[in-house]
Amino acid sequence: MNFVSTRAQAPAASLSAAIAAGLAPDGGLYVPDTLPRFSPEEFSADETLAEIAARLLRPFFAGDALAPELDAICREAFDFPTPLRALASPGDHVLELFHGPTAAFKDVGARFLAACLSRLQRGQTRELTILVATSGDTGAAVAAAFHRKPHLRVVVLYPDGRVSPRQAHQLGCFGDNILALRVAGSFDDCQALVKQALADRPLQARVPLSSANSISLGRLLPQMSYYAAAALQHWRREHTPLHFVVPTGNLGNAFAGILARACGLPIGRIALASNDNRVLPDFFAGGDYTPRASRATLANAMDVGAPSNFERLRWLYPDPIALRAAFEALAVPDEAIRAAIFESRRRLDETVCPHTATALDLLVRLRARGETGAWAVVATAHPAKFESIVEPLIGEPVPVPPALAALLERPARAEPLAADYAALRARLLAASPG
Ligand SMILES: *Cc1c(COP(=O)(O)O)cnc(C)c1O
């Protein structure tokens, strides 16, 4: 299989080339040139998540240098469970994606990308530096996934003082080949610095760079697997499709579910829960697509004003009317996030993070409107990562999962950096061995 750009002005690329490049040379996003078609019967009930992933991803890897490694890559990336659990309210479920090393769903994509890139780096003599701007969860997942991988280094930029204390600790606790830079600026400043470095050819001649942001195919493709596994599990039991509500920022997670559905998996409707950044809700309500500056909310990993994967959604649904008919998106402001955290604890005995709370709130609204069938709320992070928001609302401490506790026990260290490109450039050159 080959991968083409959503802007159709770049040559088709192999999977390995598309993963290594990140963005296509015409500025578009890589998408598969054909979509494989599966039926539920092709999967068997005793398959592990890693085996489901390998079966699902095999056509995407066909003909690529990484194809013989696919089983090993999946075993390495999918080494923690993504359980689908029934909630106390009938027909409602939660798909828990926070059992990885940094307690957010981004561990899946980051681990898969690291497993691919470390194989592509074999035999290379020059170190590759992965540059990441993060509003919290991405940087930690990428740092954990690439920690101590040979010939790979990670430089994480995060806005000083604007991530949760536990997120900041996670970013700084790895050391070795991971450098955490706390930038005197906003997330948008961090992202602008990374973009400048990735476009700086003279710098890259001395310090080879790549990125790991949410448009990376190496993150997108594996995320299809947990939707497939959950929907297949439900299908075998009930013979009905499973519907999903997905907390959404850059649309990376939700688009993976949409792609899995387009490949024939028994996935029903997909509803998108936003926080008060309303670009998608406004579009799906019939307005134009108008990117804007992001605003800070309680669900900080979804503070996105220009969802980067929207371009892929438009590729799959070129007609805006058909696109609007296929999905719905609703905004959940901070007050409703707080209420959902409180209510889910009181009514369902569930403790949820602020991102998951947006999806729970949307599900409650869908049920109130008379929606039937089986729905799964996608739980994107463990509530212990956001204890300063959750604990005052539920009135008690959130137990910390062991993987997260282990990271919090390590000492953490981040270097300050001015929000200034010359400073970043100098730092990258100083740290490079060549
Ligand atoms: C990144 C993130 C999201 C948003 O995911 P997108 O792929 O950007 O839509 C939601 N919740 C949590 C906890 C996240 O870390």
Side-chain angles (χ1 to χ4, degrees):
M1 182 180 295
N2 275 321
F3 293 82
V4 294
S5 166
T6 46
R7 299 192 187 170
Q9 303 295 315
S14 69
L15 176 74
S16 292
I19 288 179
L23 210 61
D26 61 358
L29 276 56
Y30 280 113
V31 287
D33 66 357
T34 52
L35 283 185
R37 193 75 204 168
F38 291 93
S39 72
E41 292 68 37
E42 286 173 64
F43 296 82
S44 75
D46 57 0
E47 279 172 337
T48 63
L49 178 62
E51 288 163 346
I52 292 171
R55 186 181 299 284
L56 183 66
L57 298 177
R58 179 108 35 231
F60 296 93
F61 277 63
D64 190 74
L66 285 174
E69 307 263 5
L70 177 60
D71 290 327
I73 291 170
C74 290
R75 277 195 302 272
E76 202 175 304
F78 292 95
D79 67 341
F80 56 87
T82 58
L84 177 71
R85 266 196 316 110
L87 291 172
S89 44
D92 297 347
H93 302 75
V94 59
L95 176 60
E96 293 183 351
L97 303 182
F98 51 66
H99 296 285
T102 70
F105 83 91
K106 293 194 176 79
D107 283 323
V108 171
R111 292 176 67 74
F112 194 90
L113 178 65
C116 290
L117 281 181
S118 62
R119 283 166 176 80
L120 295 175
Q121 273 297 97
R122 268 188 208 148
Q124 299 285 323
T125 47
R126 299 187 72 192
E127 186 182 65
L128 179 67
T129 298
I130 312 291
L131 257 191
V132 210
T134 186
S135 57
D137 287 340
T138 300
V142 170
F146 285 81
H147 187 213
R148 296 192 177 143
K149 292 259 190 237
H151 309 303
L152 288 160
R153 181 170 73 121
V154 173
V155 178
V156 181
L157 285 77
Y158 71 91
D160 199 3
R162 300 193 201 185
V163 303
S164 86
R166 281 186 180 167
Q167 283 177 319
H169 191 101
Q170 280 188 321
L171 292 166
C173 77
F174 288 97
D176 302 317
N177 62 331
I178 313 293
L179 173 65
L181 299 174
R182 49 185 176 86
V183 175
S186 66
F187 170 65
D188 293 337
D189 294 328
C190 296
Q191 210 161 26
L193 290 173
V194 166
K195 276 202 183 135
Q196 246 180 306
L198 290 171
D200 183 341
R201 302 232 167 250
L203 172 68
Q204 295 212 39
R206 294 168 66 188
V207 186
L209 295 178
S210 185
S211 89
N213 60 20
S214 91
I215 54 110
S216 167
L217 261 187
R219 285 179 55 185
L220 177 70
L221 294 177
Q223 291 173 174
M224 295 164 66
S225 311
Y226 44 73
Y227 289 99
L232 288 165
Q233 179 188 330
H234 177 77
W235 179 262
R236 284 195 195 100
R237 242 182 357 231
E238 310 270 335
H239 281 276
T240 60
L242 182 60
H243 312 294
F244 290 92
V245 192
V246 190
T248 300
N250 271 317
L251 265 168
N253 194 1
F255 188 76
I258 291 166
L259 204 56
R261 183 173 76 172
C263 293
L265 273 301
I267 294 167
R269 308 224 332 256
I270 295 177
L272 310 173
S274 288
N275 58 24
D276 213 13
N277 289 279
R278 295 169 174 263
V279 186
L280 293 173
D282 288 353
F283 170 80
F284 282 98
D288 288 334
Y289 176 73
T290 39
R292 51 201 88 157
S294 67
R295 55 160 90 176
T297 75
L298 293 176
N300 68 359
M302 293 157 53
D303 291 346
V304 173
S308 51
N309 283 288
F310 189 70
E311 207 165 310
R312 285 193 169 114
L313 201 54
R314 280 202 159 147
W315 157 77
L316 197 58
Y317 292 87
D319 173 12
I321 296 171
L323 174 55
R324 286 200 186 91
F327 303 99
E328 64 189 304
L330 283 174
V332 181
D334 278 354
E335 267 328 295
I337 290 177
R338 283 200 191 87
I341 293 171
F342 177 80
E343 276 299 312
S344 61
R345 181 48 186 261
R346 193 186 61 82
R347 203 167 54 83
L348 303 170
D349 201 21
E350 296 285 337
T351 305
V352 298
C353 87
H355 312 81
T356 307
T358 65
L360 261 174
D361 181 64
L362 178 45
L363 179 57
V364 169
R365 287 198 258 166
L366 292 173
R367 290 295 193 201
R369 201 169 79 182
E371 294 293 343
T372 56
W375 285 80
V377 161
V378 176
T380 48
H382 194 284
K385 261 187 123 159
F386 302 93
E387 87 290 358
S388 55
I389 297 167
V390 175
E391 289 177 353
L393 289 166
I394 65 168
E396 58 183 48
V398 181
V400 179
L404 180 56
L407 293 185
L408 296 176
E409 268 159 31
R410 301 162 66 115
R413 187 175 165 275
E415 278 180 31
L417 187 85
D420 165 40
Y421 182 60
L424 174 63
R425 194 174 199 277
R427 188 64 189 85
L428 290 173
L429 285 168
S432 92

